[in-house]
Amino acid sequence: MSTVITYGTFDLFHIGHLKLLQRLRSLGDRLVVGVSTDEFNALKGKKTVVPYEHRVEIVRSVRFVDVAFPEQSWDQKRADIVREQAHIFAMGDDWVGKFDDLADVCEVVYLPRTQDVSTTEIRQLVAALHADKLAELQAASRHLQQVIDKL
Ligand code: C2G
């Protein structure tokens, strides 16, 4: 039974997250995932849209995931690897080289990210849609005001 371990925020869960979990699961017999808590993300300077309780439940419900647990600090990985008896530690290649220090306790692997999708891009898209809607409403209210003024 070989275990693969990975970590992430998984905010606004998208196809990039799903494809990574699917590929990681195919590297072993069991996939365990550390999901960053909201407090830990604050330490990372990250504010998520979806709260931790929902993100970890979504990750847990992915059929490629066997276990999901809270990631609360940068330095818990070594203990997690030993606890879960992980053979492979893996991340997307935006983290390449960052966790090579774990190579004394398990194999360290970085997989290519899925192109053209990210939580940041989804947030920007929603913000742009919001701004467009706002502009539309402001134009409508200006027009309405002009009509009222003519009455
Ligand atoms: N990912 C991917 N393709 C994308 C977007 C993300 O393969 N288009 C991968 C990332 O490389 C990462 C995982 O999905 O391995 C989760 O990404 P994030 O939620 O952005 O994770 P992050 O906030 O970087 O947290 O201790 C490590 C941190 O917990 C990593």
Side-chain angles (χ1 to χ4, degrees), residues 6-58:
T6 192
Y7 296 80
T9 301
F10 303 103
D11 190 25
L12 300 177
F13 196 89
H14 55 67
I15 194 67
H17 296 142
L18 184 64
K19 285 190 177 302
L20 181 84
L21 296 174
Q22 183 175 23
R23 284 178 289 156
L24 294 186
R25 182 61 177 75
S26 70
L27 297 179
D29 308 303
R30 180 170 170 265
L31 175 61
V32 299
V33 183
V35 178
S36 309
T37 61
D38 299 329
E39 297 73 20
F40 180 45
N41 272 317
L43 281 180
K44 290 193 231 171
K46 238 179 164 168
K47 175 102 186 57
T48 59
V49 173
V50 182
Y52 168 75
E53 292 310 326
H54 296 179
R55 290 183 283 110
V56 73
E57 196 167 336
I58 291 165

Side-chain angles (χ1 to χ4, degrees), residues 44-103:
K44 290 193 231 171
K46 238 179 164 168
K47 175 102 186 57
T48 59
V49 173
V50 182
Y52 168 75
E53 292 310 326
H54 296 179
R55 290 183 283 110
V56 73
E57 196 167 336
I58 291 165
V59 170
R60 273 196 191 113
S61 69
V62 172
R63 66 187 169 86
F64 309 116
V65 174
D66 298 278
V67 174
F69 56 88
E71 181 189 21
Q72 296 160 307
S73 70
W74 287 111
D75 52 19
Q76 69 178 67
K77 292 183 175 68
R78 195 169 284 278
D80 295 340
I81 289 165
V82 173
R83 183 190 67 243
E84 299 294 339
Q85 298 177 343
H87 301 78
I88 300 173
F89 169 93
M91 296 290 294
D93 60 8
D94 48 326
W95 290 93
V96 72
K98 297 280 188 328
F99 301 112
D100 291 354
D101 62 305
L102 297 170

